[in-house]
Amino acid sequence: MSKSVSKAARATSSPSSKARPQPEAQPQHPAEGLSIAQVAEQAGVSVATVSRVLNGHENVRPATRDKVLAAVDASGYRVNELARNLRTAESRLLLTMVPDVGNPFYAEIVRGIDSVARQHGYFMLLCDTGADPGRERSYFDLLRRRRADGAICLDPATIQQALGEASSALPWVACCEFDPEMGVPYVGIDNYKAAGDAVRHLLARGHQRIGLINSDVDYLYARQRQQGYLDALTEAGITPDERWRMNLNSLDYEAGASAAALLVQQPHAPSAIFAVSDTLAIGVIHGLRSVGKRVPDDVAVVGFDDISLAAQVDPPLTTIAQPMRELGETAARLLLQRLANPLANVPGVLLPHRLVIRRSA
Amino acid sequence: MSKSVSKAARATSSPSSKARPQPEAQPQHPAEGLSIAQVAEQAGVSVATVSRVLNGHENVRPATRDKVLAAVDASGYRVNELARNLRTAESRLLLTMVPDVGNPFYAEIVRGIDSVARQHGYFMLLCDTGADPGRERSYFDLLRRRRADGAICLDPATIQQALGEASSALPWVACCEFDPEMGVPYVGIDNYKAAGDAVRHLLARGHQRIGLINSDVDYLYARQRQQGYLDALTEAGITPDERWRMNLNSLDYEAGASAAALLVQQPHAPSAIFAVSDTLAIGVIHGLRSVGKRVPDDVAVVGFDDISLAAQVDPPLTTIAQPMRELGETAARLLLQRLANPLANVPGVLLPHRLVIRRSA
DNA sequence: GTGAAAGCGCTAACAG
DNA sequence: CTGTTAGCGCTTTCAC
């Protein structure tokens, strides 16, 4: 930890750095190819001294320090981090890979990651992979090529596995999606139990025919939630009907809408639908309405995630809440741990979920 | 342009690189501190030759090339881009700064940027600024410190201006939010006219008392849309009432909901509401419903942006569509132009908007 | 407390 | 076609 702290104190590189505020007046020279040598010359000291001042080392005489600082401010000099990073062999950059930045579920997680990262003097940059293995790989290459110090991956477990064995040696952690067997640190929730909770809620409301609108089976959570759904039904003495289940390759509203319309227009249609994401569930509500079904009177629906929108739609969505912020924060902390001590074996952690009952079911 | 093309062809650094697929078998050594020198030794050639092969230069004998490639694959070597970038003085990284990654409006724009960027051999990385000037600054510092080659900023114009004069020399462009006076290339829409279109639609539907739920005036678009709203009303012979207008410091659904509830519960309440973003408008619909108003019968609502959700809510939202994808693509192209030719003065461009009539108004 | 100098890993002249 | 070499701008011993 002491490493992180000392690095975070670097006056010129920490995201949260307030060590040396900018002067009000803008510097004269917009600083194109300014190097430390020129600042040194201007200050009448050696490059070593400038470097020491820039990095907040203590062993510099105050007068000297002031001379240097003056020269820096006057010239508008900014350290070239490419050079610094080459020398120190670290970039202080963290990458977060998400399958779809447009999905509000990820936004809150990303904020959690970001806040922990900057507290520790790291920048967090977001990568939209579109759940495409090729793009995923190319972002991992940023890691291999030392352009980032670490990464957090929220992509489907299947894609993570496709990265190959060699990648597990890279400094990254998995968030929400993970394969416990891979030996990569992870954080997530108990999807199996959460899905069971959703279904049991529906059961308690008297529903017997419960549909499942699921996402792509590339996602670990899709497989786990399906199993939770299946087992909850079976435990209640109900034989799951295959026609009640659908797998979608998109979490978009439209996908949920058309799936729902299909689902309820068949014989023995479900009287309730469990959708594995709120975006899907909102689409489902819309789809049901478009075929003349009322929610929850004709068909009940429960979603998953508890994105902020869930409370705003009509009717407000009953859903399983994930601790999104904490998921992100935990992921960031795991990664930081792994960076601080590459050999320590970092644990997998599961965070609690919660059933939020609103009006849709 | 030829520069971009030749760079994009670099076998080891282009995001879209497919030049030399990885072998099926994973390399033996996970490649911690492997350098080009060791590869050179292993291949029995000089570092220069390895470098040439890695960069796809033509003047290498096939046999030599194969030897090098074999050594690379065997060792699992990856180029250290920190070193390469220091040497070539470019990072091939583009930054996109958005005020809120959770707002779906930005997601599609970001995709547009990303697709153009990777077509040209650049990586695009997303930064969530939270519309905070401090964070904005720190991301711009990434630029100053050569960790990224260019940036696209979607933050409020006010924040852009606060960056100071010196920043306009930096390689960035503005998207959606911009100040034409700053001399920074930009792309956006005609917000004044678009707002007018929205209001005129409401007018045509017979509404006389039209409310405006606006965002923070830090946003240029907020000021422009307000003016469009005001002028459209005036032109119709209606004197705008101050009590019809609200400014919110958030685009969240909740913010729209509570604002709407307030707005329609006063005397002479509006019979229609124009909200400057779809997220706000969706909140508005929810807020109206919570106080017992039906949309559009009691109060009509028009939004702005046409995010995918707009068609899914009940009632489907009448809104002004922005060409989000094109906005992003254009921004990326402007930036690329600016990078290719730092001296050329890149124009500001305005893209067309479109009124989409659904059921909410 | 400060400076001189080595070298991080790479690319690009320049020779041969 | 291939090798030798000089830096890119910075941090960090090691002297003084």
Side-chain angles (χ1 to χ4, degrees):
Chain A
M1 225 50 234
S2 65
K3 187 189 175 193
S4 285
V5 171
S6 75
K7 293 295 186 166
R10 294 210 296 204
T12 54
S13 81
S14 160
S16 55
S17 167
K18 296 187 182 82
R20 211 156 29 72
Q22 293 311 302
E24 279 312 288
Q26 290 299 328
Q28 339 289 306
H29 315 287
E32 244 334 292
L34 213 47
S35 81
I36 201 173
Q38 328 199 25
V39 176
E41 187 178 15
Q42 203 175 323
V45 299
S46 73
V47 294
T49 299
V50 176
S51 173
R52 280 191 274 259
V53 171
L54 256 24
N55 293 293
H57 294 188
E58 286 310 320
N59 49 345
V60 179
R61 196 149 39 91
T64 313
R65 175 182 306 275
D66 291 345
K67 265 195 308 189
V68 171
L69 257 21
V72 168
D73 288 342
S75 62
Y77 167 79
R78 298 298 175 132
V79 73
N80 180 331
E81 300 225 27
L82 252 28
R84 168 185 281 175
N85 293 339
L86 174 58
R87 189 51 227 239
T88 61
E90 66 169 12
S91 68
R92 291 261 134 191
L93 248 43
L94 263 27
L95 261 27
T96 297
M97 303 164 205
V98 300
D100 176 14
V101 285
N103 188 326
F105 169 61
Y106 297 113
E108 194 60 22
I109 295 182
V110 161
R111 280 200 203 93
I113 297 171
D114 194 61
S115 73
V116 171
R118 57 196 316 117
Q119 272 169 34
H120 290 260
Y122 283 84
F123 278 98
M124 188 222 67
L125 268 17
L126 244 191
C127 312
D128 186 26
T129 65
D132 172 46
R135 288 168 69 175
E136 176 85 43
R137 266 203 117 74
S138 75
Y139 287 119
F140 262 90
D141 268 355
L142 289 180
L143 224 58
R144 290 201 184 78
R145 294 170 181 162
R146 317 295 155 91
R147 306 192 55 166
D149 290 345
I152 294 171
C153 179
L154 288 92
D155 272 301
T158 316
I159 293 187
Q160 295 181 13
Q161 289 153 352
L163 253 21
E165 203 185 287
S167 70
S168 69
L170 256 24
W172 67 283
V173 304
C175 182
C176 298
E177 283 286 302
F178 53 87
D179 175 0
E181 310 295 300
M182 272 187 87
V184 171
Y186 64 82
V187 55
I189 65 161
D190 185 340
N191 286 297
Y192 175 82
K193 175 144 192 314
D197 290 347
V199 171
R200 282 183 287 272
H201 171 71
L202 257 9
L203 255 9
R205 286 282 208 259
H207 295 281
Q208 300 270 105
R209 299 188 313 284
I210 300 176
L212 173 68
I213 295 192
N214 205 347
S215 72
D216 200 292
V217 289
D218 273 355
Y219 286 95
L220 173 77
Y221 77 76
R223 301 189 295 272
Q224 293 179 330
R225 290 178 198 172
Q226 162 151 323
Q227 200 55 53
Y229 156 90
L230 255 19
D231 290 357
L233 246 34
T234 308
E235 277 162 25
I238 296 171
T239 308
D241 186 327
E242 243 189 49
R243 291 164 301 180
W244 297 344
R245 296 202 296 278
M246 296 189 71
N247 279 97
L248 273 32
N249 56 13
S250 157
L251 294 178
D252 290 349
Y253 307 106
E254 292 80 2
S258 46
L262 242 53
L263 207 56
V264 298
Q265 296 200 100
Q266 57 182 3
H268 289 287
S271 67
I273 293 178
F274 170 38
V276 297
S277 99
D278 284 350
T279 53
L280 243 27
I282 288 165
V284 165
I285 292 178
H286 180 69
L288 290 174
R289 189 153 30 223
S290 73
V291 296
K293 302 283 185 188
R294 288 164 309 159
V295 176
D297 310 83
D298 298 330
V299 182
V301 357
V302 5
F304 207 108
D305 293 343
D306 197 27
I307 60 178
S308 72
L309 184 59
Q312 301 292 323
V313 293
D314 181 47
L317 198 58
T318 292
T319 191
I320 300 284
Q322 296 202 55
M324 300 181 276
R325 183 101 197 176
E326 287 74 24
L327 284 167
E329 291 172 346
T330 306
R333 270 191 274 271
L334 290 180
L335 179 57
L336 257 16
Q337 261 181 263
R338 193 170 177 182
L339 291 179
N341 187 352
L343 299 173
N345 73 331
V346 182
V349 1
L350 252 32
L351 263 25
H353 60 270
R354 190 167 46 88
L355 174 68
V356 177
I357 301 174
R358 298 203 181 90
R359 297 226 330 277
S360 70
Chain B
M1 225 52 236
S2 65
K3 185 189 175 195
S4 285
V5 171
S6 75
K7 293 294 185 162
R10 293 211 295 203
T12 54
S13 80
S14 160
S16 55
S17 166
K18 298 189 183 80
R20 210 158 28 72
Q22 294 309 305
E24 279 312 288
Q26 290 299 329
Q28 341 289 304
H29 315 287
E32 243 335 292
L34 213 47
S35 82
I36 200 173
Q38 331 200 22
V39 176
E41 187 179 15
Q42 202 175 323
V45 299
S46 74
V47 293
T49 299
V50 176
S51 175
R52 280 190 275 259
V53 172
L54 255 23
N55 292 293
H57 292 190
E58 286 309 321
N59 47 348
V60 178
R61 194 149 41 90
T64 312
R65 174 182 307 274
D66 290 347
K67 260 194 311 189
V68 172
L69 257 23
V72 168
D73 287 343
S75 62
Y77 167 79
R78 297 298 173 132
V79 75
N80 180 333
E81 299 224 28
L82 252 27
R84 168 186 281 174
N85 293 338
L86 173 60
R87 186 54 230 238
T88 61
E90 65 168 14
S91 68
R92 292 259 134 193
L93 248 42
L94 264 26
L95 261 26
T96 297
M97 302 163 207
V98 300
D100 176 14
V101 285
N103 188 326
F105 168 61
Y106 296 113
E108 195 60 23
I109 295 182
V110 161
R111 281 201 202 91
I113 297 171
D114 193 61
S115 74
V116 171
R118 56 195 320 116
Q119 272 168 33
H120 291 261
Y122 283 85
F123 277 99
M124 188 220 68
L125 268 15
L126 245 192
C127 312
D128 185 25
T129 64
D132 171 46
R135 289 167 67 174
E136 175 85 43
R137 264 203 119 73
S138 76
Y139 287 120
F140 262 87
D141 268 356
L142 252 22
L143 224 59
R144 290 202 184 79
R145 295 172 180 160
R146 317 297 156 89
R147 308 193 52 169
D149 290 345
I152 293 171
C153 180
L154 289 90
D155 273 300
T158 316
I159 293 188
Q160 295 182 13
Q161 289 153 352
L163 253 21
E165 205 185 284
S167 69
S168 69
L170 257 23
W172 68 284
V173 306
C175 181
C176 298
E177 283 286 302
F178 53 87
D179 175 0
E181 310 295 299
M182 273 187 86
V184 172
Y186 64 83
V187 56
I189 65 160
D190 185 341
N191 286 297
Y192 175 84
K193 175 145 191 317
D197 291 347
V199 171
R200 281 183 287 273
H201 170 71
L202 257 9
L203 256 8
R205 287 280 209 259
H207 294 281
Q208 298 271 104
R209 299 189 313 284
I210 299 176
L212 173 69
I213 295 192
N214 204 347
S215 72
D216 201 292
V217 288
D218 273 356
Y219 286 95
L220 173 77
Y221 78 76
R223 301 189 296 272
Q224 293 179 330
R225 290 177 198 172
Q226 162 151 321
Q227 201 54 53
Y229 157 89
L230 256 18
D231 290 359
L233 246 33
T234 307
E235 275 163 26
I238 296 171
T239 309
D241 187 327
E242 245 187 46
R243 291 165 302 181
W244 297 344
R245 297 201 296 277
M246 298 189 70
N247 278 97
L248 273 32
N249 56 13
S250 157
L251 294 178
D252 290 350
Y253 306 106
E254 292 81 1
S258 46
L262 242 52
L263 207 56
V264 297
Q265 297 201 100
Q266 57 180 4
H268 289 286
S271 67
I273 294 178
F274 169 39
V276 297
S277 99
D278 284 349
T279 52
L280 243 26
I282 288 164
V284 165
I285 292 178
H286 179 68
L288 290 174
R289 188 152 31 220
S290 72
V291 297
K293 302 282 185 187
R294 287 164 310 157
V295 177
D297 309 81
D298 298 329
V299 182
V301 175
V302 6
F304 206 109
D305 293 341
D306 197 26
I307 59 178
S308 71
L309 184 59
Q312 301 293 322
V313 293
D314 180 47
L317 199 59
T318 291
T319 190
I320 300 283
Q322 296 202 55
M324 301 181 276
R325 182 104 197 174
E326 287 74 22
L327 283 168
E329 291 173 346
T330 307
R333 270 191 274 271
L334 290 180
L335 180 57
L336 258 15
Q337 262 181 263
R338 195 170 177 183
L339 291 179
N341 188 351
L343 299 172
N345 71 332
V346 181
V349 1
L350 253 32
L351 263 26
H353 61 270
R354 190 168 46 88
L355 175 67
V356 177
I357 300 174
R358 298 203 180 91
R359 298 225 331 276
S360 70

